[in-house]
Amino acid sequence: MVVSGAGIQRADVLTEGEKILAVGENLKAEDAESINVSGKYLFPGFIDAHTHMDLEVSGTVTADGFDSGTKAEISGGTTCIIDFATQNRGESLEYALERWHKKAEGKASCDYAFHLALSDWNERVSQELEQVVEGGICSFKLYTTYEGMVVDDQTIYEILTRLKELKGIAGIHCENKGIIDARLKELMKSKGNRREVSDYPATRPSLAEAEAVSRILKIAACVDTPVIIVHLSSKEGCEEVKHAREKGNEVFVETCPQYLLLDESRYKLPGGEGRMYMIAPPLRGKKDQETLWKALAQGEIQTIATDHCSFTRQQKEFGEDDFAKTPCGMPGAEERPALMYHYGVMQILWCGIQTGNGC
Ligand SMILES: [Zn+2]
């Protein structure tokens, strides 16, 4: 059963090397090796458009590099990832990209491409962008939070303007840094420590995401260019996207299985188990999940990516005395396609059969 954009059809698939030569019934090909996959669905390889392999963050490096990370992707049916090459402050774009090529070269089990995260902005970087786009990298990432990565509004405006000239696009991590920093400080003042992971989600509230989404979309409207909102997690954030679209903004939205399937009750798990679920933005509530599923069903969300950013239990324990020191991120490379098929297709079909009207 071949699954494609055109639907599901029972067919043979003839391939040579990495190329599909034909799809059709009773294909004849002399000397071709035949693999019988009766009873299975045959999908095109999936693309994971948001991964962090071999990324230095919070004084450590993600547990998965391009070796184990892409093996996990392949095991789940993903055949191409787009990882975030990252420019640290002071680095040229060329240097940053070279580093990422070295990290991946000879190690990846699947195809890979890069987005480029920008943290430093000046005339030299602006000039360099042209070669980067010519070299085939045309999607970039900007952060509205994280010391070391955050860019201010003027920089965002200037980068979006330059990308518009070059026909590139930016994906943006949307959270208001001021609100987060103030909440972290408040917590320290009121409790004297930040040990309880259950306090974590309130330090990064939905409104901090919504504020940054709204601001970014208004800056993008001033520049008159489309943007991508990455890992959207909240109802409030969805509403900002809706408003902007009603006004004519072109916005692409990504979310991740963890925001659709897990909720903030995980942060209340005992014995520091909640730290395993520390991601940014944090897991949200049931109403946020409902909004995301609905937005997905209505075509308001275009991409489901993993934001695969894995750490071992030991690494997560860096935040034992202060949860703010926990490296944020979760894996998902292997599980994404199965999870989305199970919860996004089968469960909804089953639910439709049960209620008789679909849901
Ligand atoms: Zn990410």
Side-chain angles (χ1 to χ4, degrees):
M1 300 303 284
V2 177
V3 182
S4 74
I8 302 176
Q9 102 186 85
R10 195 186 167 85
D12 295 327
V13 179
L14 180 65
T15 64
E16 189 176 82
E18 294 204 352
K19 269 209 169 117
I20 295 169
L21 299 182
V23 180
E25 280 176 57
N26 304 315
L27 292 182
K28 296 270 176 289
E30 274 191 22
D31 304 329
E33 181 196 356
S34 168
I35 302 168
N36 186 351
V37 290
S38 298
K40 313 262 187 218
Y41 288 116
L42 187 64
F43 286 88
F46 301 117
I47 299 169
D48 186 353
H50 188 152
T51 67
H52 301 282
M53 307 297 180
D54 202 354
L55 175 73
E56 300 90 354
V57 63
S58 303
T60 186
V61 185
T62 54
D64 278 321
F66 282 83
D67 43 6
S68 56
T70 58
K71 278 185 185 141
E73 296 275 9
I74 282 281
S75 306
T78 299
T79 54
C80 180
I81 62 167
I82 315 181
D83 198 77
F84 285 92
T86 300
Q87 174 212 28
N88 296 308
R89 293 225 168 105
E91 291 177 1
S92 70
L93 301 183
E94 190 190 2
Y95 176 81
L97 276 173
E98 222 177 77
R99 274 188 73 219
W100 246 264
H101 276 291
K102 274 192 199 136
K103 284 171 190 266
E105 233 164 64
K107 294 192 192 128
S109 295
C110 67
D111 292 337
Y112 59 90
F114 299 131
H115 309 285
L116 181 55
L118 303 172
S119 64
D120 213 356
W121 185 241
N122 53 48
E123 204 38 52
R124 186 177 48 85
V125 175
S126 171
Q127 291 306 319
E128 239 197 315
L129 265 184
E130 191 165 355
Q131 291 150 260
V132 171
V133 173
E134 271 170 17
I137 289 173
C138 50
S139 50
F140 297 84
K141 176 143 178 222
L142 305 175
Y143 289 84
T144 58
T145 187
Y146 292 131
E147 211 66 60
M149 287 309 293
V150 62
V151 282
D152 65 18
D153 294 346
Q154 182 183 345
T155 305
I156 293 169
Y157 181 98
E158 289 177 4
I159 292 176
L160 292 184
T161 304
R162 180 68 172 139
L163 290 182
K164 185 183 174 184
E165 276 169 22
L166 299 171
K167 300 194 166 45
I169 192 165
I172 296 139
H173 176 128
C174 292
E175 282 185 295
N176 178 301
K177 185 174 185 296
I179 297 174
I180 297 167
D181 290 348
R183 287 259 169 119
L184 282 169
K185 209 165 124 189
E186 258 175 32
L187 189 63
M188 208 53 164
K189 238 178 166 178
S190 64
K191 283 202 169 172
N193 69 65
R194 289 186 296 235
R195 259 181 231 125
E196 280 169 52
V197 184
S198 57
D199 291 327
Y200 171 63
T203 62
R204 307 184 90 104
S206 293
L207 285 175
E209 178 175 70
E211 187 284 330
V213 169
S214 159
R215 178 161 40 98
I216 289 299
L217 294 181
K218 287 182 173 85
I219 297 172
C222 287
V223 178
D224 188 22
T225 196
V227 284
I228 307 165
I229 304 296
V230 298
H231 52 51
L232 189 69
S233 66
S234 66
K235 177 172 180 276
E236 287 79 358
C238 273
E239 283 164 359
E240 294 298 340
V241 171
K242 213 171 199 163
H243 291 158
R245 283 187 176 141
E246 279 163 13
K247 289 187 182 129
N249 268 37
E250 192 176 6
V251 192
F252 300 96
V253 178
E254 168 200 277
T255 193
C256 314
Q258 51 271 36
Y259 297 116
L260 292 161
L261 300 170
L262 299 173
D263 68 64
E264 61 193 359
S265 62
R266 300 272 156 170
Y267 298 122
K268 294 192 180 125
L269 290 173
E273 194 62 22
R275 261 196 300 281
M276 307 306 142
Y277 300 91
M278 278 185 66
I279 54 175
L283 298 173
R284 306 289 190 191
K286 292 285 178 206
K287 68 166 176 32
D288 300 286
Q289 291 184 332
E290 278 164 29
T291 306
L292 291 175
W293 277 114
K294 211 167 147 194
L296 198 57
Q298 291 173 346
E300 291 165 17
I301 293 177
Q302 283 68 44
T303 315
I304 302 169
T306 60
D307 199 1
H308 183 88
C309 189
S310 60
F311 297 101
T312 61
R313 193 165 278 272
Q314 206 181 12
Q315 286 175 304
K316 284 283 189 186
E317 271 154 26
F318 292 168
E320 208 174 348
D321 293 325
D322 178 359
F323 67 66
K325 293 193 178 127
T326 309
C328 276
M330 276 174 67
E334 184 172 347
E335 297 80 7
R336 178 187 63 137
L339 287 171
M340 293 321 299
Y341 185 72
H342 181 87
Y343 292 100
V345 180
M346 291 315 287
Q347 189 142 309
I348 286 171
L349 279 180
W350 176 241
C351 176
I353 293 164
Q354 296 279 294
T355 59
N357 56 16
C359 55

